[in-house]
Amino acid sequence: MAASGLFSACTTSQPGVLPAAGADLPPPAPREFRAVWVSTVANIDWPSKPNLNAAQQQAEAVAILDRAKALNLNAIVLQVRPAADAIYASTIEPWSEYLTGVQGQAPQPWYDPLKFWITQAHARGLELHAWFNPYRARQTGARSTVAPNHITRTNPAVVKSYGKFLWMDPGEEAAAKQTLDVVLDVVRRYDVDGIHIDDYFYPYPIDNPAAGGAETAALDGKAGKGELDFPDGPSWQRYVAGGGRLDRPSWRRQNVNKLIEALYEGIHREKSWVRFGISPFGIGRPDRRPRGINGFSQYDKLYADAETWLQNGWLDYLSPQLYWPIRQPAQAYPVLLDYWVTQNVQGRHIWPGLFTSRIGAPSKEYAPAEIIEQIEVTRTRPNARGHVHFSMVALMQNRKGISDQLRSALYLSPALVPATPWLGNAAPGIPTVLASRRGNGVVLKLAAGPANATYAIWSRYGGQWRFAVAPASRVDWTVPDDVKLGSADAVYVSAVDRLGNESARVQAWKRGA
């Protein structure tokens, strides 16, 4: 086996790796959130089309997870609620048409896709974050007949037509309650590592009822003429009649803020270790932007006040969608990244979203070097220790060699997800490790201690260390000999919990000991 993923005791090549205290001790574990969005809406990433049987869906999921593991990613952000529907077994909302082509119809033979994804991700040492669209009720291009238990049938008064979409009105308490109930149902019933919501709050504005592509226009900084206002008249009038004193834009932002706060509190009330993340549009409110930055205002158009969420600590990580090049002055990636870091007064995680799918796109495409450089820029910011790729299809297709370049240049070794100490900082139990020399490696027998989620494994070859991560479900692990450096002369193992806290390290093997 080649010596990839090696770093010496006195140099560093991975984020979070510091020089070791001495040649006999391994360095700190590399830490970086390396995630990818897996979109189910419109079958962007998975499943590849809506009429696959269960075995075909599972095979595609396994291929995605295997690629993520091979690339040394450590998290999947899986879209589980594309449009008030579900890619899991739910008593609240219907099965998504993106699974079977028919809304309300379960996969055949029956299985629970979310449970399958979680089990398979954890078996590979990957986190699984469940991604929800909070308000969309019907997607452009939806073909299936609406199921009887879809919100457009069960509570049509809270759903509004807006262009080609159907949208739950954020001003309707019943709509907000449905989203909160759906999310907390998943937190209770599934072993997810995170809950994630995207940038769709109030819809991206359009300038006529038939218009589409509003999100693309926002990215391009194009303002619509005579924008169509969101039809929330009944909920607004009830607010005014009840004595409400906010103006309409402030009231809309308050509606969104109330849901964000309720989600954060509700998720942690159910399971303290489940992290809550949001991926808003990447440009901040106009009155706070850095000099030279301009473009679409999510604050004024989507009524998303991401700065307030950060100020109040209503999330555990923010993944602003920084979908512009480094050298595009009006939306420069480094300037926007620094802006969000400065807004992060509560010290939450900042893990920006990267538009990796623009590699090989028909227009405004990126060269792979753009994504590589964006990651390198992010690594120079100590308060932004991670990133999320949109989306998995680009990495599965290895567009213009991007996957190869990531693996060979930036993801040389695995990395642990950065710790989240504000949710808990107690060290997990120390694992039990037995080691023996067999064949062409050192074989470890592993037994997890309390709260162990993964094992962190260091192996030393001369003065160089190799790092690996294994799920706590593993009972054996082989540290292989290296074709150039020979056998490992020392092996250390620690345990890491769901929040990234690390146990004391166990010296499992030392040559001659």
Side-chain angles (χ1 to χ4, degrees):
M1 182 174 182
S4 62
L6 290 169
F7 41 92
S8 73
C10 58
T11 63
T12 177
S13 61
Q14 290 292 306
V17 176
L18 301 175
D24 290 335
L25 298 175
R31 297 265 185 172
E32 183 175 56
F33 190 68
R34 298 177 188 162
V36 61
W37 280 294
V38 176
S39 297
T40 58
V41 67
N43 300 106
I44 292 173
D45 292 307
W46 180 87
S48 61
K49 51 187 175 181
N51 58 352
L52 302 179
N53 62 37
Q56 292 169 321
Q57 290 179 10
Q58 291 172 2
E60 289 190 351
V62 166
I64 288 171
L65 292 164
D66 284 346
R67 174 62 60 90
K69 182 66 174 178
L71 288 175
N72 283 329
L73 302 182
N74 52 30
I76 298 289
V77 184
L78 175 68
Q79 190 173 37
V80 302
R81 190 204 199 202
D85 52 3
I87 65 136
Y88 57 91
S90 172
T91 60
I92 304 174
E93 293 184 326
W95 287 100
S96 174
E97 72 172 86
Y98 301 115
L99 287 173
T100 62
V102 178
Q103 190 177 85
Q105 180 174 302
Q108 297 298 324
W110 192 96
Y111 81 110
D112 189 320
L114 179 52
K115 184 177 181 180
F116 180 85
W117 272 90
I118 292 169
T119 300
Q120 294 294 321
H122 288 173
R124 291 161 175 79
L126 300 168
E127 291 190 352
L128 195 290
H129 294 226
W131 161 23
F132 299 78
N133 187 287
Y135 296 112
R136 187 169 57 209
R138 185 77 165 168
Q139 166 71 2
T140 298
R143 297 288 181 264
S144 173
T145 301
V146 176
N149 61 333
H150 190 259
I151 194 170
T152 55
R153 298 280 188 91
T154 60
N155 199 349
V158 307
V159 179
K160 309 299 179 184
S161 295
Y162 189 74
K164 298 178 181 179
F165 293 92
L166 294 178
W167 212 265
M168 289 181 280
D169 179 0
E172 294 282 357
E173 290 186 9
K177 182 179 184 301
Q178 171 116 350
T179 294
L180 182 61
D181 288 348
V182 163
V183 170
L184 296 185
D185 174 60
V186 167
V187 174
R188 293 183 191 108
R189 294 195 296 120
Y190 294 90
D191 191 23
V192 294
D193 300 285
I195 296 294
H196 186 102
I197 62 174
D198 53 34
D199 55 320
Y200 295 102
F201 299 100
Y202 282 80
Y204 283 86
I206 58 175
D207 56 11
N208 68 71
E215 300 93 327
T216 301
L219 281 173
D220 293 343
K222 297 176 181 177
K225 297 180 180 179
E227 288 175 354
L228 190 69
D229 197 22
F230 184 72
D232 55 1
S235 55
W236 165 246
Q237 292 300 329
R238 284 199 305 276
Y239 170 75
V240 173
R245 297 189 177 185
L246 295 175
D247 59 36
R248 201 163 183 172
S250 298
W251 167 75
R252 286 173 171 171
R253 281 187 287 271
Q254 177 182 260
N255 294 332
V256 175
N257 288 346
K258 287 165 65 176
L259 178 62
I260 298 299
E261 183 180 16
L263 284 169
Y264 187 74
E265 292 180 349
I267 289 164
H268 295 129
R269 188 165 52 245
E270 294 294 334
K271 292 179 181 176
S272 61
W273 63 88
V274 174
R275 282 143 296 156
F276 178 44
I278 308 176
S279 54
F281 189 81
I283 301 177
R285 51 187 287 177
D287 60 342
R288 299 189 187 181
R289 293 176 185 172
R291 184 182 301 274
I293 293 294
N294 59 62
F296 179 80
S297 172
Q298 64 174 335
Y299 181 82
D300 296 301
K301 302 297 185 180
L302 307 182
Y303 307 98
D305 188 357
E307 289 85 352
T308 289
W309 310 337
L310 284 170
Q311 179 180 335
N312 292 322
W314 290 341
L315 46 74
D316 298 308
Y317 67 92
L318 189 82
S319 294
Q321 297 176 20
L322 303 189
Y323 288 175
W324 302 274
I326 288 173
R327 294 168 185 85
Q328 184 167 308
Q331 297 87 29
Y333 178 93
V335 179
L336 291 172
L337 176 59
D338 289 341
Y339 170 78
W340 290 112
V341 169
T342 63
Q343 296 298 308
N344 185 26
V345 294
Q346 295 278 6
R348 299 319 201 211
H349 298 302
I350 302 292
W351 298 328
L354 313 180
F355 206 168
T356 309
S357 285
R358 272 217 161 141
I359 297 171
S363 63
K364 299 182 180 178
E365 71 167 319
Y366 284 176
E370 176 69 40
I371 296 299
I372 299 295
E373 190 173 355
Q374 288 183 4
I375 294 172
E376 290 173 337
V377 166
T378 305
R379 288 179 174 179
T380 67
R381 274 61 170 176
N383 295 319
R385 300 176 64 192
H387 49 272
V388 190
H389 295 279
F390 185 86
S391 67
M392 190 65 197
V393 65
L395 301 182
M396 292 301 291
Q397 295 174 354
N398 192 21
R399 293 182 186 172
K400 297 192 173 183
I402 181 60
S403 297
D404 294 339
Q405 293 180 51
L406 288 169
R407 182 63 180 85
S408 64
L410 297 183
Y411 301 157
L412 294 174
S413 85
L416 299 179
V417 173
T420 307
W422 56 90
L423 295 183
N425 58 10
I430 299 172
T432 300
V433 188
L434 300 175
S436 60
R437 174 76 194 172
R438 295 185 197 169
N440 296 321
V442 176
V443 177
L444 307 180
K445 294 295 182 182
L446 304 165
N452 290 185
T454 57
Y455 299 108
I457 303 169
W458 291 259
S459 48
R460 187 182 62 190
Y461 300 80
Q464 296 179 303
W465 290 94
R466 177 181 289 149
F467 182 70
V469 176
S473 58
R474 288 291 296 263
V475 297
D476 57 70
W477 184 268
T478 299
V479 175
D481 294 345
D482 186 270
V483 293
K484 293 182 179 179
L485 301 175
S487 62
D489 54 54
V491 178
Y492 286 77
V493 179
S494 66
V496 182
D497 69 9
R498 300 290 287 268
L499 289 173
N501 299 305
E502 186 184 351
S503 76
R505 297 174 181 179
V506 176
Q507 181 180 287
W509 173 261
K510 188 173 183 181
R511 185 185 298 158

